[in-house]
Amino acid sequence: MGESSDGRERILTVGVAVARSGRLANLGDPLDFVTTLLRPRLAGLGPTGYRIRLAARDTRSSAEGARQAVEELTRDEDAKIIVTLAGTQVLPAVADACEAIGVPCLSSTFPWQVYYYGRGADAAHPFTWTYHFCWGLEDIAATFADLWERADGGGREAVGCLWNDGPQGTWSRHPEHGFAPAARARGHHLVDPAPYREPGADLKGHISAFREAGAGIVTSAATGRDLGRFRAQAAEAGWQPRLITCSRWLAYPPSVTGAGGRPAHADVATLVYWTPAHPYRSSLDGMTAAGLAEAYEQGTGRQWLQPLGLAYALFEVVIHALTTADDPSDRRCVADALGRTRLDTIAGPLDWTAGPVPNIATVALAGGQWQRGTRHDYELAVVTGGQVDGLAVDGDLVTT
């Protein structure tokens, strides 16, 4: 089945939907880098008699661009599977387009509840074509609760919620699947004022509410720019929390500079899902986490990024699925192979047979904080090992 009738090698195309223009272009850097790095290496991997080819399309940082990218990859490139990551509007649009067309899709860097329930699936109606691996909102809540309890000496200090009126805030508040119920189950009192509209120009109402409630800790899923606004306005009001925990773009190195030349990230605690210190190797070529981070810094001159590990793992899982599929040229067979995948990757062990719901594999989290660095101005220190076995803690949590 691997060769054409004239004995020539057959081609299997993997489509890559990645932001290369628009406001999310920087978020597309990890996937773009890994695509370029692996393109020549993947050609000789995969099923015997086939050559792997990578074809990329720009999502243009929009849902419409994402849908067009999927259409072009399936129609013009005959992609047997499509990979993507990053973008609150873009990632679901890629996955939905793949589900509608009938092409397997693998994605990451998006809490699994938002991906799964947010796109309309449930236990009785799982997705047919689209698969995902990531942490959950309950994992973020557990990681942040660990950090809060370290900051307040194990007590249950009130926590202010700086949440927007978009998907991040809506899902954080969700009464069944969200961040809030998991945090409250740990005994934490959440102070949640009216959501702010993103971008948040005036956050003084939140500051007043937190101050009045005695919330010395603030948690958020803000952009770096909005977090910078919040910190500047809090300073103007003569108030500052002892600790801020923030997810979303805070996984990326600081880029937004605040008052006094300090980035909005400075001393902010966040989730840690991949670092050069993670004790993982690639199933493709033995690449270590440290090796991948170094390759990125040497190749780009920029600081390593957490999503690098997940981007690399996308291709590990894809090659595994194509290799184990009954017929790698048949999209249905490739999707079925994704659903039974269990694989140790550079992002850790991934298992689609274990749930928590169909089509989802989970990623373990640790806790970190952006602190003054040695190689870079600010570096992500691991301050709690969390769920990650074998990850060394290399910093102490700093509070104001």
Side-chain angles (χ1 to χ4, degrees):
M1 211 180 314
E3 294 184 347
S4 60
S5 58
D6 59 5
R8 289 185 300 177
E9 200 172 42
R10 299 174 67 182
I11 295 174
L12 296 173
T13 298
V14 177
V16 182
V18 55
R20 300 317 302 140
S21 62
R23 69 183 188 90
L24 302 179
N26 289 343
L27 298 189
D29 286 349
L31 183 54
D32 181 66
F33 174 81
V34 170
T35 300
T36 301
L37 182 69
L38 287 179
R39 182 174 274 118
R41 302 182 189 181
L42 294 185
L45 299 178
T48 302
Y50 289 90
R51 181 168 64 85
I52 304 297
R53 171 178 172 266
L54 302 187
R57 287 292 189 280
D58 182 8
T59 64
R60 306 196 309 277
S61 300
S62 69
E64 179 55 36
R67 288 187 287 268
Q68 184 174 338
V70 170
E71 290 171 2
E72 292 178 1
L73 287 167
T74 53
R75 182 190 65 227
D76 303 338
E77 304 290 353
D78 191 28
K80 301 305 179 187
I81 184 170
I82 291 174
V83 299
T84 195
L85 54 77
T88 303
Q89 304 296 331
V90 174
L91 189 152
V94 171
D96 286 346
C98 289
E99 192 75 24
I101 291 173
V103 59
C105 178
L106 181 65
S107 55
S108 189
T109 67
F110 204 63
W112 70 258
Q113 291 96 335
V114 188
Y115 172 92
Y116 191 78
Y117 299 115
R119 294 178 51 230
D122 56 37
H125 305 93
F127 298 119
T128 302
W129 296 97
T130 49
Y131 295 80
H132 189 71
F133 64 97
C134 200
W135 50 90
L137 293 168
E138 79 285 8
D139 299 313
I140 301 176
T143 300
F144 283 3
D146 285 344
L147 296 166
W148 303 340
E149 289 155 23
R150 284 174 180 254
D152 67 7
R156 293 296 186 272
E157 183 175 347
V159 177
C161 300
L162 183 66
W163 288 337
N164 67 14
D165 62 354
Q168 295 80 14
T170 299
W171 280 97
S172 293
R173 297 182 184 89
H174 195 282
E176 183 179 357
H177 303 302
F179 175 105
R184 291 187 176 112
R186 287 276 291 255
H188 291 279
H189 171 59
L190 302 183
V191 180
D192 183 14
Y196 70 89
R197 183 174 296 278
E198 193 172 281
D202 186 354
L203 299 167
K204 296 184 181 66
H206 286 73
I207 294 164
S208 296
F210 300 158
R211 195 173 197 170
E212 291 170 7
I217 297 172
V218 170
T219 196
S220 185
T223 63
R225 192 169 300 280
D226 279 346
L227 188 63
R229 288 192 180 99
F230 170 79
R231 300 189 79 174
Q233 291 174 22
E236 289 172 3
W239 177 83
Q240 61 178 335
R242 290 191 299 109
L243 179 69
I244 297 174
T245 56
C246 191
S247 55
R248 202 174 169 192
W249 288 7
L250 271 289
Y252 288 73
S255 59
V256 179
T257 301
R262 297 174 74 237
H265 289 50
D267 300 324
V268 173
T270 189
L271 53 91
V272 174
Y273 53 87
W274 187 87
T275 71
H278 272 62
Y280 303 139
R281 287 181 176 269
S282 168
S283 60
L284 290 175
D285 51 14
M287 172 79 81
T288 64
L292 177 57
E294 183 64 20
Y296 183 82
E297 294 198 345
Q298 290 292 324
T300 66
R302 299 191 296 270
Q303 190 171 352
W304 64 267
L305 307 159
Q306 288 207 67
L308 276 171
L310 305 190
Y312 210 92
L314 285 172
F315 293 102
E316 294 184 64
V317 175
V318 163
I319 294 301
H320 182 270
L322 291 171
T323 302
T324 59
D326 294 337
D327 179 357
S329 66
D330 184 281
R331 290 170 176 164
R332 179 68 265 160
C333 291
V334 175
D336 291 343
L338 283 175
R340 58 177 181 263
T341 293
R342 300 173 63 189
L343 188 67
D344 290 334
T345 74
I346 202 168
L350 300 175
D351 185 357
W352 276 269
T353 70
V357 292
N359 302 62
I360 300 294
T362 55
V363 173
L365 291 183
Q369 186 176 35
W370 288 103
Q371 300 178 355
R372 288 282 187 185
T374 54
R375 294 183 61 188
H376 307 280
D377 290 342
Y378 281 85
E379 295 174 345
L380 184 61
V382 177
V383 297
T384 173
Q387 307 163 338
V388 184
D389 293 335
L391 178 62
V393 171
D394 60 7
D396 295 322
L397 183 66
V398 176
T399 57
T400 302

